[in-house]
């Protein structure tokens, strides 16, 4: 049985599926669901991810069967057939992907079979069951990717040694996904590989279609994209490596070594790239030497984020900035095995810092965990206060930051208090942006 | 009308024979509406829209000192994520201590679909009480619990005795209706049943506690008080304007339901008149207050633009027998306004405009734009029902101006804009971005930060309009560099090709 969630930081399976399709180039989602599902999701995706906007064919332009009571009583397959046919007439796309909401899954409409009938007629239509009750947004991402890897990616027994695919960084849930993919792609290109990320800048559906020729899948997550990676391996014979999201010098170095090892890349190449990138990184970071040390810019901190970001940010704060991330709250719904795996990511910071890690889905609990881990001042004259402090989380965590008198930077979904375009936080380059944003807040409030 | 004994109100398809798919002239629309032929028209191609749960939340999320429980799977009410950081500021314009939007999702998963979600709901209610100690806990019911038969009312009954907060169940499952505006009835139904006191009991307790003088003072106060019913998309400054207009007639205002505190609804029966600014929004509420508490209402028009603001004031003045004072006030206000508008009129002359938004607001806005000297070339409304008949009948050249009834459906709008080629789009949320991508200037209307109502609203509207027309570069650049997702031949077809009247 599942528990209620107070202010959840994700949508349902359908929400994640639509988000994933929305940002794939020229893919048109067709929603088979009650009318409000798409509208509600559109608002959440547009307004809570740094103002992403409606997009090419998303927002209120999403084709949707808008079934209601009568269709639910008599079945909605006929209505869906009509909707797919008319969508093919009106909406200009390269691939049409039917996704379903709770009601049609409950009444047993076979939307996938309807989509398949179009597919058999040579129309570029796919479908998957994504009823919201199956899980959260991340689940929708996994379902859609799995379906695309199974039915859209062309089989190719010949592998290209220098081509890799990269996924596991969930678009929109990672508000900075597009900028982040750019950076990871550039890094891997630098060590000699062509990269398909499917959702990245300048990519087309062909990057996905011909992804079967890759020699390795790099999953930038301990949890998300793993299921699709397994399916990819089964169908296309491409192995995968897990290389968690890297932010900053410490994390990115690990990332490059992990990937290099899996690919059998020459160590000298990896070392050369690390050396070059680090030199560039520190040529900028060096500028902070004065302000950091003159104004004492070391901070205690609290991180509230998903399972991809939380370890990456905490490691960056501890190992790159020399900060004291005392509390990290991971807000996803995870299994016990997943939690155990993620815990290990916090055990080997080079700084030796071990933040207190909690898994909790409820927003109000951030302050409870904080109070449990850092004692309140009971009117003591001499008191070790949590100060100076800094909070990195979603816009839902602004109130918590205010309550402990800390500045707040939005890094995780939902973000409705900042605009995000091509900003990125991963790698060496992204970390420089993160430093600009964090220290910008510190100097801005002087 | 008395549905209050029922757990849920009827949907608007049944109660008002409302429609959300039409394309044709204004005159034909009014004819069809009067004959009742619009009901049930559908689209063979459709785009997504809101549902009554989404729209219910738009109102309920504003209520101060309340926790909203969304009973459904995780995505239901997910749009809350986009307003969570913003809503607090608007609440704090009414109460600086307001906490902003707090909500809980019952997170129904596969196991709840099979075994029922009543336990999740009960746990969520108890948690909301313990964690936040709110004045009200509002439950919105989504599709899934409705179809699997969760009995939320009995959960509420079972748990109400254990907690302080008033629990307000709102039955607004999305699949029940195509008319998003059914949300207004669902919300008011919940408020009427749970936040507004039983009048008999209240009168008795007052008699017990008050002396004769206090009673007379109270009666006098009530005789000069009106409830003004606001909508969630209007601003605090809009409310100040309405207060100003009615204060000039020596009347007092209670402003409900948006941004109110749950306790404010106790005062809903302490007024001698209910005044709506939008019949579509309020008819269910005011009818019930009339039936149950014998409070009359004014429901005819919306105070947008000079003509309808005048009408709105006069309707109220007539009720209190103070038309002469109202006429004097109106004359003075309109004179000042017209003088202020002189510098703008030249700029607006002959500009062709398309308008989108709620049915009543669109028609009133057309009147406003015509008054300012623009030419209205098309209108789009989220839905249509009888409440706009009178106003739409008065639209000049109503046989020529196309009217599109569409909840969202930006593909129809794109076609209309491509073919009508207006110089300007004026719209409520949802269609503005799409119009912007077609390269034309856009003026958004109804916003929590702008004034739009009354005489001040007319001036501010003109001022904003002039600003938008002065430099439309942003949208012009967008128009040159973006493409809407429709095939080229869509723009060559009739905009209403996918409206299937055969199903009516």
């Amino acid at each position: 049985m599942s528990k209620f969630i107070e202010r959840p930081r994700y949508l349902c399976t359908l929400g994640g599926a639509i988000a994933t399709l929305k940002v794939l180039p020229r893919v048109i989602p067709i929603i088979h669901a009650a009318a409000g599902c798409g509208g509600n999701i559109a608002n959440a995706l547009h307004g809570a991810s740094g103002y992403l906007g409606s997009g090419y064919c998303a927002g209120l332009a999403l084709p949707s069967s808008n079934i209601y009571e009568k269709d639910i009583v008599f079945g909605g397959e006929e209505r869906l057939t009509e909707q797919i046919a008319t969508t093919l007439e009106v909406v200009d796309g390269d691939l049409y992907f039917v996704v379903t909401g709770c009601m049609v899954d409950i009444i047993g409409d076979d939307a996938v079979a309807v989509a398949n009938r179009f597919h058999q007629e040579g129309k570029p239509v796919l479908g998957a069951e994504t009823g919201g009750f199956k899980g959260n947004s991340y689940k929708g991402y996994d379902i859609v990717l799995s379906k695309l890897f199974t039915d859209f990616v062309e089989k190719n027994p010949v592998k290209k040694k220098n081509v890799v695919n990269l996924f596991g960084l969930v678009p929109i849930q990672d508000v900075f996904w597009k900028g982040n993919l750019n950076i990871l792609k550039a890094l891997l290109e630098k060590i000699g590989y062509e990269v398909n990320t499917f959702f990245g800048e300048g990519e087309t559906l062909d990057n996905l279609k011909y992804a079967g020729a890759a020699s390795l899948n790099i999953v930038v997550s301990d949890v998300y994209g793993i299921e699709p990676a397994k399916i990819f391996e089964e169908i296309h014979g491409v192995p995968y490596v897990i290389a968690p999201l890297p932010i900053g010098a410490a994390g990115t170095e690990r990332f490059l070594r992990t990937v290099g090892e899996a690919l059998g890349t020459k160590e000298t190449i990896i070392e050369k790239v690390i050396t070059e990138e680090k030199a560039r990184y520190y040529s900028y970071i060096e500028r902070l030497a004065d302000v950091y040390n003159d104004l004492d810019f070391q901070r205690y901190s609290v991180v509230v984020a998903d399972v991809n970001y939380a370890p990456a940010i905490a490691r960056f704060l501890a190992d790159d900035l020399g900060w004291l991330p005392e509390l990290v709250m991971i807000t996803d719904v995870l299994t016990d095995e997943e939690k155990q795996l993620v815990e290990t990511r916090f055990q080997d910071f080079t700084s030796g810092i071990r933040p207190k890690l909690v898994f909790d889905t409820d927003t109000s609990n951030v302050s409870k965990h904080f109070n449990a881990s850092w004692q309140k001042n009971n009117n003591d004259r001499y008191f070790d206060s949590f100060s100076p402090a800094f909070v990195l989380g979603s816009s839902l965590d602004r109130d918590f930051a205010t309550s402990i008198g800390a500045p707040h930077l939005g890094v995780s979904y939902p973000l409705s208090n900042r605009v995000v375009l091509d900003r990125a936080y991963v790698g060496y380059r992204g970390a420089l942006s993160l430093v600009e944003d964090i220290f910008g807040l510190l100097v801005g409030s002087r | 009308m008395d549905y209050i004994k029922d757990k849920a109100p009827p949907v608007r398809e049944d109660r008002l024979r409302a429609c959300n798919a039409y394309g044709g002239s204004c005159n034909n629309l009014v004819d069809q509406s009067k004959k009742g032929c619009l009901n049930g028209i559908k689209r063979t191609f459709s785009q997504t829209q809101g549902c009554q749960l989404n729209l219910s939340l738009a109102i309920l999320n504003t209520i101060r000192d309340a926790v909203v429980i969304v009973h459904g799977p995780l995505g239901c009410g997910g749009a809350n994520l986009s307003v969570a950081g913003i809503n607090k500021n608007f609440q704090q314009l009414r109460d600086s201590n307001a906490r902003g939007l707090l909500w809980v999702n019952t997170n129904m998963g596969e196991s709840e679909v099979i075994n029922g979600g009543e336990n999740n709901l009960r746990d969520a209610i108890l948690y909301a009480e313990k964690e936040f100690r709110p004045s009200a806990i509002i439950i919105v019911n989504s599709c899934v619990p409705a179809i699997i038969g969760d009995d939320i009312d009995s959960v509420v009954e079972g748990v109400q005795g254990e907690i302080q907060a008033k629990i307000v169940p709102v039955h607004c499952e999305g699949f029940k209706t195509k008319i998003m505006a059914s949300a207004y009835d669902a919300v008011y139904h919940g408020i009427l049943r749970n936040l507004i006191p039983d009048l008999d009991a209240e009168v008795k307790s007052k008699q017990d506690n008050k002396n004769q003088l206090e009673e007379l003072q109270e009666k006098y106060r009530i005789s000069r008080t009106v409830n003004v019913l606001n909508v969630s998309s209007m601003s605090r400054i809009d409310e100040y304007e309405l207060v100003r207009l009615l204060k000039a007639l020596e009347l007092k205002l209670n402003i409900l339901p948006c941004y109110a505190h749950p306790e404010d609804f106790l005062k809903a029966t302490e007024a001698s008149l209910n005044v709506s600014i939008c019949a579509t929004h309020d008819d269910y509420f005011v009818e019930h207050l009339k039936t149950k508490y014998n409070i009359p209402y004014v429901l005819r028009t919306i105070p947008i633009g000079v003509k309808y603001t005048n009408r709105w004031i006069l309707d109220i003045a007539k009720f209190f027998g103070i038309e002469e004072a109202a006429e004097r006030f109106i004359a003075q206000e309109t004179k000042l306004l017209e003088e202020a508008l002189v510098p703008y009129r030249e700029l607006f002359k002959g500009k062709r405009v398309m308008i989108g938004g709620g049915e009543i607001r669109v028609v009133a806005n057309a009147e406003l734009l015509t008054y300012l000297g623009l030419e209205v070339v098309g209108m789009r409304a989220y839905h249509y029902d009888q409440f706009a008949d009178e106003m739409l009948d008065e639209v000049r050249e109503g046989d020529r101006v196309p009217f599109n009834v569409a909840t969202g459906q930006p593909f129809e709008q794109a076609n209309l804009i491509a073919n009508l080629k207006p110089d300007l789009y004026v719209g409520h949320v949802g269609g503005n971005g799409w119009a912007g991508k077609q390269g034309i200037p856009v003026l958004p209307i109804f916003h929590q930060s702008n004034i739009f109502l009354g005489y001040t609203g007319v001036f501010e509207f003109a001022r904003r309009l002039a600003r938008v027309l002065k430099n439309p570069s942003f949208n012009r650049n967008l128009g040159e560099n973006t493409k809407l997702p429709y095939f080229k031949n869509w723009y060559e077809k009739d905009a209403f090709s996918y409206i299937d009247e055969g199903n009516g």
Side-chain angles (χ1 to χ4, degrees):
Chain A
M1 211 196 97
S2 45
K3 180 191 101 45
F4 65 82
I5 299 182
E6 182 227 320
R7 285 178 281 172
R9 294 152 191 255
Y10 20 75
L11 302 168
C12 57
T13 315
L14 176 64
I18 291 172
T20 307
L21 295 166
K22 168 189 163 103
V23 297
L24 266 178
R26 287 181 58 79
V27 173
I28 311 299
I30 299 175
I31 307 174
H32 185 34
C37 296
N40 166 62
I41 287 165
N43 276 339
L45 297 179
H46 157 216
S49 55
Y51 299 90
L52 174 62
S54 294
Y56 175 63
C57 186
L60 287 187
L62 282 164
S64 171
S65 62
N66 295 351
I67 55 151
Y68 78 119
E69 200 155 27
K70 207 174 88 190
D71 306 293
I72 285 163
V73 176
F74 296 107
E77 290 183 18
E78 205 178 308
R79 173 72 194 101
L80 175 62
T81 308
E82 176 182 76
Q83 179 67 27
I84 297 172
T86 52
T87 302
L88 290 168
E89 283 171 23
V90 177
V91 183
D92 181 7
D94 292 335
L95 176 66
Y96 300 79
F97 197 120
V98 177
V99 285
T100 59
C102 296
M103 301 310 277
V104 302
D105 284 3
I106 289 175
I107 63 169
D109 270 7
D110 195 343
V112 178
V114 175
N116 285 345
R117 282 205 289 278
F118 282 88
H119 194 79
Q120 280 149 18
E121 290 167 20
K123 306 278 176 16
V125 182
L126 293 176
E129 284 190 4
T130 53
F133 57 83
K134 291 187 201 307
N136 65 9
S137 298
Y138 299 101
K139 173 94 177 175
Y141 169 78
D142 275 3
I143 290 177
V144 165
L145 268 199
S146 300
K147 179 73 180 180
L148 290 168
F149 291 167
T150 309
D151 288 352
F152 185 74
V153 173
E154 283 188 359
K155 290 222 169 66
N156 191 341
V158 185
K159 305 300 174 197
K160 292 184 186 160
K161 259 199 94 178
N162 67 329
V163 175
V164 297
N165 305 316
L166 182 142
F167 49 89
L169 179 160
V170 183
I172 300 182
Q173 280 297 132
D174 175 351
V175 180
F176 308 90
W177 92 92
K178 201 154 182 165
N180 283 348
L181 288 177
N182 272 345
I183 286 180
L184 294 181
K185 198 169 173 169
L187 264 181
L188 294 172
E189 279 169 1
K190 227 175 157 186
I191 60 168
Y193 296 89
E194 272 177 43
V195 193
N196 301 305
T197 67
F198 319 136
F199 306 96
E201 214 174 85
E203 294 198 37
T204 70
L205 262 186
D206 283 351
N207 291 79
L208 178 61
K209 197 172 190 176
Y210 304 123
S215 61
L216 184 72
N217 285 323
I218 301 166
V219 187
V220 198
S221 173
D222 280 314
V223 177
Y224 307 120
I226 307 283
E227 199 54 40
K230 287 180 180 158
I231 286 170
F232 205 111
E233 182 162 24
E234 204 178 298
I235 294 178
H236 302 285
V238 179
Y240 68 92
V241 61
I242 294 173
L245 194 74
I247 295 179
T252 312
E253 189 169 330
R254 287 164 56 92
F255 174 82
L256 284 169
R257 289 190 203 288
T258 308
V259 172
E261 197 181 322
L263 283 163
T265 317
K266 271 195 201 143
E267 256 179 64
T268 50
I269 297 177
I270 302 287
E271 292 308 323
K272 185 167 174 274
V273 170
I274 289 172
T275 309
E276 277 173 20
E277 289 285 323
K278 245 170 117 172
R280 178 178 182 273
Y281 177 74
Y282 277 104
S283 74
Y284 287 104
I285 290 293
E286 186 229 343
R287 296 185 187 183
L288 293 174
D290 299 286
V291 73
Y292 188 107
N293 294 299
D294 284 340
L295 298 178
D296 188 9
F297 271 171
Q298 188 191 39
R299 292 288 180 269
Y300 290 104
S301 45
V302 174
V303 177
V304 188
D306 76 2
V307 70
N308 284 2
Y309 263 81
I313 298 249
R315 184 185 291 275
F316 171 72
L317 297 178
D319 292 356
D320 279 50
L321 292 189
W323 280 19
L324 303 167
E326 297 288 330
L327 174 68
V328 175
M329 179 163 130
I330 293 182
T331 48
D332 300 358
V333 181
L334 298 174
T335 64
D336 288 343
E337 296 84 60
E338 287 166 341
K339 285 179 190 170
Q340 276 167 19
L341 176 64
V342 173
E343 271 169 14
T344 64
R345 301 293 184 195
F346 289 85
Q347 288 165 6
D348 60 347
F349 289 7
T350 52
S351 55
I353 297 291
R354 284 278 295 263
K356 179 177 172 186
L357 176 63
V358 293
F359 296 93
D360 200 322
T361 53
D362 295 349
T363 294
S364 286
N365 289 349
V366 178
S367 57
K368 279 183 220 156
H369 292 299
F370 175 75
N371 290 332
S373 59
W374 200 274
Q375 224 184 344
K376 269 193 173 163
N377 187 356
N378 296 314
N379 224 5
D380 293 331
R381 180 162 169 202
Y382 299 108
F383 176 68
D384 179 18
S385 64
F386 194 77
S387 168
F390 199 100
V391 173
L392 294 103
S394 75
S395 36
L396 297 180
D397 306 306
R398 259 199 301 183
D399 285 351
F400 165 70
T402 308
S403 76
I404 62 166
H408 164 266
L409 180 68
V411 295
S412 57
Y413 185 88
L415 283 190
S416 56
N417 63 331
R418 59 182 298 193
V419 172
V420 176
L421 299 176
D422 71 346
R423 199 147 202 76
Y425 284 156
V426 303
Y428 297 97
R429 259 167 51 206
L432 293 179
S433 299
L434 187 53
V435 165
E436 284 176 348
D437 293 346
I438 289 173
F439 288 88
L441 282 172
L442 295 184
V443 299
S445 58
R446 287 189 74 204
Chain B
M1 177 158 58
D2 184 10
Y3 300 108
I4 292 308
K5 57 191 182 310
D6 304 327
K7 284 179 180 171
V11 296
R12 289 204 166 188
E13 284 91 334
D14 301 336
R15 187 170 74 80
L16 296 169
R17 301 181 63 75
C19 105
N20 78 340
Y22 170 85
S25 75
C26 297
N27 291 356
N28 185 48
L29 176 57
V30 175
D31 287 349
Q32 301 277 345
S33 166
K34 285 178 178 161
K35 285 187 215 147
C37 316
L38 298 168
N39 204 8
I41 296 177
K42 58 164 253 179
R43 279 184 179 77
T44 54
F45 172 72
S46 56
Q47 293 168 309
T48 192
Q49 58 171 80
C51 66
Q52 58 165 347
L53 185 147
N54 307 152
L55 191 56
S56 294
L57 286 176
I59 305 171
L60 296 169
N61 284 344
T62 67
I63 306 288
R64 281 149 35 208
D65 195 19
V67 177
V68 174
I69 295 178
V70 180
H71 186 35
L74 271 175
C76 294
N80 279 1
L81 290 164
S82 62
V83 292
I86 297 152
N87 168 300
K88 188 174 179 174
N89 296 335
F90 296 127
Q91 286 195 8
Q92 288 183 340
L93 290 173
R94 281 81 177 176
D95 173 7
S96 57
N97 292 320
R99 288 186 287 189
L101 173 55
L102 297 168
W103 83 97
V104 178
N105 181 293
T106 58
N107 186 20
M108 293 181 73
E110 267 168 338
S111 126
E112 284 72 27
V113 169
I114 296 160
N115 303 311
E118 292 177 8
N119 287 336
N120 292 40
L121 177 59
R122 198 187 138 81
D123 290 348
I125 296 170
L126 293 173
Y127 169 83
E129 166 82 1
K130 185 165 156 279
E131 184 69 27
F132 301 111
R133 304 275 168 206
S135 294
I137 294 173
I138 299 164
I139 301 163
V140 294
N141 200 28
S142 83
C143 296
V144 172
I147 205 161
I148 65 168
D150 274 4
D151 186 349
I152 68 167
D153 294 279
S154 69
V155 173
V156 168
E157 252 170 61
V159 79
Q160 179 68 81
E162 298 171 40
I163 69 171
Q164 291 279 319
K166 281 189 182 160
I167 310 180
V168 184
V170 172
H171 293 269
C172 53
E173 50 273 27
F175 71 90
K176 283 273 170 74
T177 174
K178 287 178 170 177
I179 309 295
M180 202 162 71
S182 296
Y184 303 135
D185 307 346
V187 166
Y188 276 135
H189 190 85
I191 289 172
L192 283 159
R193 272 170 66 99
N194 301 283
L195 291 179
I196 293 185
D198 186 312
L199 194 61
D200 296 340
E202 204 202 8
V203 167
K204 194 171 171 302
S205 89
K206 271 190 189 147
Q207 280 166 349
D208 291 347
N209 293 322
K210 281 190 180 148
N211 66 33
Q212 227 180 345
L213 179 63
E214 277 174 338
E215 227 176 281
L216 280 171
Q217 284 172 333
E218 171 102 359
K219 264 191 187 157
Y220 177 73
R221 187 178 61 81
I222 293 175
S223 77
R224 303 300 295 181
T225 301
V226 294
N227 291 326
V228 170
L229 305 173
N230 61 356
V231 299
S232 65
S233 56
M234 61 189 259
S235 66
R236 184 67 177 139
I237 16 181
D238 277 323
E239 292 172 4
Y240 287 140
E241 172 72 356
L242 299 185
V243 170
R244 185 181 76 86
L245 299 183
L246 297 190
K247 212 175 160 186
L249 303 181
E250 292 173 351
L251 298 174
K252 287 190 179 62
L253 274 70
N254 288 332
I255 297 177
L256 296 168
C258 297
Y259 298 102
H261 189 279
E263 281 174 9
D264 293 344
F265 291 98
L266 297 173
K267 287 185 286 187
T269 54
E270 297 174 10
S272 54
L273 182 69
N274 279 307
V275 179
S276 166
I277 67 152
C278 176
T280 285
H281 194 270
D282 301 321
D283 89 291
Y284 192 85
F285 191 51
V286 296
E287 281 277 3
H288 277 99
L289 288 175
K290 181 157 191 266
T291 313
K292 279 197 79 167
Y293 305 100
N294 207 21
I295 306 173
Y297 60 81
V298 170
L299 187 71
R300 194 166 150 224
T301 188
I302 186 166
I304 290 175
V306 172
K307 175 174 159 186
Y308 293 119
T309 301
N310 292 352
R311 187 179 287 178
W312 188 78
I313 293 173
L314 281 173
D315 282 348
I316 296 165
K318 196 171 169 199
F319 175 83
F320 290 99
I322 47 176
E323 290 108 309
E324 261 181 54
E327 295 276 12
R328 276 198 304 276
F329 176 66
I330 286 170
Q332 172 197 325
E333 285 287 317
T334 44
K335 183 169 172 285
L336 278 176
L337 175 64
E338 276 170 34
E339 284 166 13
L341 289 174
V342 171
Y344 297 101
R345 287 191 178 276
E346 195 55 34
L347 190 62
F348 301 152
K349 202 180 274 175
K351 286 269 188 302
R352 302 168 75 256
V353 57
M354 192 160 116
I355 313 167
E359 52 162 352
I360 306 280
R361 307 183 202 187
V362 165
V363 183
N365 209 22
E367 165 60 32
L368 165 58
L369 283 153
T370 310
Y371 170 83
L372 291 176
L374 294 95
E375 183 195 347
V376 175
V377 296
M379 287 185 261
R380 307 186 79 230
Y382 294 136
H383 81 282
Y384 196 82
D385 56 39
Q386 74 223 19
F387 296 118
D389 285 352
E390 182 190 341
M391 284 166 69
L392 194 61
D393 236 353
E394 297 170 2
V395 168
R396 270 168 270 178
E397 300 193 66
D399 54 337
R400 194 187 48 78
V401 179
F403 200 102
N404 180 202
V405 180
T407 318
Q409 310 306 326
F411 78 109
E412 283 173 6
Q413 174 179 303
N415 181 308
L416 288 169
I417 288 180
N419 288 294
L420 294 169
K421 299 189 171 56
D423 301 306
L424 170 78
Y425 181 84
V426 173
H428 197 203
V429 291
N432 295 336
W434 302 109
K437 288 179 188 179
Q438 286 181 285
I440 58 173
V442 172
L443 184 62
I445 49 169
F446 260 87
H447 191 278
Q448 287 97 333
S449 322
N450 287 323
I451 181 164
F452 189 45
L453 299 182
Y455 304 109
T456 316
V458 174
F459 178 74
E460 281 300 315
F461 181 81
R463 213 172 64 80
R464 291 171 59 217
L465 185 56
R467 168 166 59 72
V468 165
L469 290 172
K470 197 169 175 184
N471 186 358
S473 298
F474 184 80
N475 285 356
R476 190 164 54 216
N477 296 338
L478 276 181
E480 285 164 9
N481 293 288
T482 53
K483 178 190 177 300
L484 294 188
Y486 314 111
F487 288 116
K488 221 171 147 198
N489 69 5
W490 163 237
Y491 301 100
E492 288 147 22
K493 290 187 194 166
D494 183 281
F496 312 124
S497 302
Y498 291 94
I499 294 175
D500 179 5
E501 297 190 26
N503 285 274

